[in-house]
Amino acid sequence: MIAHNQQVTRNIEQIRSDVNQAASQDDLIALVRRVEQHKGPLDYRDNWYRVFCAVSLFFALLPVALELGLVLPGFIMQILSAALGYSVIWYPMLCLATITRFCEDKGKRLPIPGPIWGRMALMAAIGASLNLIPQWPYWYWDLYFDTLASFLGLWYPSSGFAAHNGVIGLLMLFWLRGRMKWRNKLSDKIFLKDALFNNNLEAVPFEGKKLAKELEASFREFKRGNDLREIESLYKSTYQGEVHQFDYQLYRFHYVEERTETTTDANGKTTTRTVRDHYYRHGVLLDFPFAEDMSISNDFGIKRRGERYKSASNEFNRQYRVHATELMTAARLLSPAVEEKLAVFAKQLKKPVFEFSQQGRLCLAVTDDLLAVKRVNGLDNPKAFAEELAGHTELKQMQKMLEIVHEVKRYSDNNFKASA
């Protein structure tokens, strides 16, 4: 017989698989409705883990509370002192019983018949029997907890016990929270996938680091950071405007800035550590035959190629820095109407950069997340969630990006034809 938690894991994995295989909005709605009527269990029974987590955090926080001045009655202090001293017996019992429960939840069961609590009790008994080994108290207190305390700069084995429980308790806390909130993350994924369907965005296969390297050869936008550079997601679609229709790719770019941070404490001891800051940029890539080898940037931290071009509009010059290999290209592209629209666009999204490559491609990038969607309901309320998915989710930030591209194309088309 499959354990309850193991069955829950299988059911959730099946739902995740169904989400990945969904090929339309209707598939997602049908999936959510199946969750509403799901016959198998979808919630973990984690009371044992919660007890273990609570005990760990209690013995981790107790020394801190006492250090901060918490005063407890004498008989309570005697009980706590006895509990700490006898942890050499009960703590191995608790740990082995918990490990047994965890292994069974993962489908790794001891070859012993009977209910799960019987196998947990057996392993707890083995934990208690460790105290029959003469060296066990030494191994427990001196060899492990005292060594851990010394490594952390603490004084007593009990401090090592507290530190150990603090780490275990926090890990358990985050793990339990993830198991309780599994519907939230999956609901976000379903809602995003629905938004992609609504906006005709199709995922494109790619290699993240390799693609970032290729784009870096054409656009300085991808020369950010001094460590990791990678494309995290890539989609394709077609935009149909009043005048122009064009194919485009929507991407998410991740880069890392590595730096060294030096701090000095009150005793004059200097410590140096490496810090890695993670950043993201989002944008669209498309063909743009009206300009090449120039940039229009609201992000002044990136060095651009070419000569500086200044417009007659002071407002435009405050918002953008324009660089071009041929200044005439910039002059022809940046008509007063285009500058006006770009000035408005700079107030709508953060740090926009228009970069035109030598190959006639445009990269328009911003800091805003173009796929940011906010749902009202989720799998915790499947009926309402299905109704919400049935509507149309508009990606407003992405729409603004495509609209400004269309406007620049429209005015550029007129300018260049007139010039020709």
Side-chain angles (χ1 to χ4, degrees):
M1 181 178 178
I2 299 176
H4 176 89
N5 283 358
Q6 188 180 356
Q7 184 62 56
V8 172
T9 298
R10 290 189 180 186
N11 292 339
I12 294 173
E13 287 175 352
Q14 182 60 55
I15 295 172
R16 287 197 178 104
S17 176
D18 292 343
V19 172
N20 292 332
Q21 294 175 13
S24 67
Q25 183 183 60
D26 290 340
D27 289 347
L28 292 175
I29 294 173
L31 182 155
V32 172
R33 286 176 176 160
R34 287 199 301 273
V35 172
E36 182 183 9
Q37 301 169 357
H38 203 280
K39 295 181 180 179
L42 293 176
D43 293 294
Y44 291 103
R45 292 175 182 170
D46 284 341
N47 287 339
W48 181 268
Y49 299 127
R50 293 190 184 102
V51 170
F52 183 83
C53 179
V55 170
S56 298
L57 292 176
F58 176 78
F59 281 98
L61 296 175
L62 180 61
V64 177
L66 295 174
E67 186 69 25
L68 293 176
L70 176 66
V71 178
L72 297 173
F75 75 95
I76 294 181
M77 291 299 297
Q78 290 178 359
I79 293 173
L80 293 175
S81 178
L84 182 61
Y86 283 108
S87 68
V88 70
I89 299 174
W90 64 259
Y91 191 68
M93 295 173 64
L94 182 62
C95 288
L96 287 179
T98 304
I99 292 171
T100 303
R101 176 64 183 267
F102 180 78
C103 290
E104 295 228 356
D105 286 347
K106 293 295 183 181
K108 299 177 181 179
R109 173 178 168 178
L110 289 172
I112 301 174
I116 183 174
W117 61 263
R119 290 182 290 277
M120 292 174 64
L122 175 62
M123 294 304 295
I126 293 175
S129 67
L130 291 175
N131 202 51
L132 299 176
I133 303 174
Q135 296 88 353
W136 174 247
Y138 169 78
W139 293 341
Y140 182 83
W141 287 116
D142 297 286
L143 197 60
Y144 178 61
F145 287 123
D146 191 37
T147 301
L148 178 61
S150 298
F151 177 77
L152 297 175
L154 304 173
W155 292 100
Y156 305 106
S158 57
S159 300
F161 184 74
H164 167 94
N165 278 281
V167 173
I168 298 297
L170 287 175
L171 290 176
M172 287 287 294
L173 188 64
F174 286 112
W175 179 70
L176 287 169
R177 186 178 184 277
R179 284 161 71 90
M180 289 178 60
K181 302 291 185 180
W182 68 267
R183 289 177 176 83
N184 286 351
K185 191 172 183 180
L186 194 54
S187 297
D188 290 340
K189 185 174 182 179
I190 292 172
F191 197 64
L192 174 59
K193 194 161 187 175
D194 178 66
L196 295 176
F197 288 142
N198 289 169
N199 293 272
N200 300 313
L201 286 163
E202 179 185 346
V204 178
F206 65 97
E207 296 180 32
K209 294 179 182 178
K210 180 180 178 182
L211 180 56
K213 190 71 175 178
E214 293 171 356
L215 292 170
E216 182 184 326
S218 300
F219 302 102
R220 297 190 68 86
E221 172 64 28
F222 298 94
K223 289 188 176 181
R224 297 174 180 270
N226 58 5
D227 189 34
L228 175 68
R229 296 169 182 167
E230 63 177 346
I231 301 297
E232 284 196 343
S233 59
L234 186 68
Y235 305 94
K236 67 177 181 180
S237 187
T238 300
Y239 178 77
Q240 180 63 62
E242 294 181 1
V243 178
H244 286 281
Q245 173 184 306
F246 55 86
D247 297 329
Y248 68 92
Q249 290 182 319
L250 179 71
Y251 70 85
R252 173 185 171 95
F253 175 52
H254 170 219
Y255 65 97
V256 176
E257 189 75 36
E258 186 177 281
R259 57 188 173 85
T260 300
E261 189 176 86
T262 303
T263 57
T264 304
D265 61 19
N267 299 321
K269 182 180 178 180
T270 301
T271 304
T272 301
R273 66 187 184 106
T274 300
V275 179
R276 301 174 81 246
D277 298 316
H278 296 257
Y279 300 97
Y280 297 88
R281 293 277 286 176
H282 311 261
V284 294
L285 298 161
L286 64 142
D287 292 332
F288 194 93
F290 307 116
E292 64 180 38
D293 210 12
M294 67 169 288
S295 64
I296 307 168
S297 177
N298 182 256
D299 185 356
F300 307 144
I302 301 295
K303 186 177 181 181
R304 305 293 173 179
R305 289 191 293 257
E307 296 182 60
R308 173 78 185 277
Y309 169 85
K310 286 193 175 183
S311 165
S313 168
N314 291 330
E315 181 182 3
F316 180 81
N317 290 333
R318 282 194 299 269
Q319 293 176 321
Y320 291 99
R321 299 288 184 271
V322 181
H323 292 81
T325 302
E326 298 291 339
L327 295 182
M328 183 56 67
T329 301
R332 292 168 65 189
L333 180 72
L334 295 172
S335 65
V338 170
E339 289 183 353
E340 182 180 351
K341 291 188 175 297
L342 291 180
V344 173
F345 182 71
K347 298 175 182 178
Q348 295 175 331
L349 286 94
K350 299 175 184 176
K351 295 187 176 180
V353 174
F354 298 76
E355 192 169 0
F356 306 86
S357 73
Q358 295 176 343
Q359 297 77 31
R361 296 274 291 170
L362 165 62
C363 172
L364 169 55
V366 294
T367 302
D368 304 80
D369 186 353
L370 301 179
L371 293 179
V373 287
K374 189 174 182 180
R375 57 184 174 83
V376 176
N377 301 289
L379 289 175
D380 53 342
N381 188 356
K383 184 177 180 180
F385 192 33
E387 294 174 356
E388 186 176 356
L389 291 174
H392 180 81
T393 302
E394 183 180 357
L395 299 173
K396 296 182 180 180
Q397 302 291 59
M398 186 192 75
Q399 193 64 27
K400 291 176 183 177
M401 295 276 283
L402 298 175
E403 287 173 357
I404 192 63
V405 169
H406 179 267
E407 290 301 289
V408 175
K409 266 181 170 282
R410 182 166 69 90
Y411 284 104
S412 300
D413 192 13
N414 295 337
N415 288 346
F416 280 70
K417 283 182 178 178
S419 176

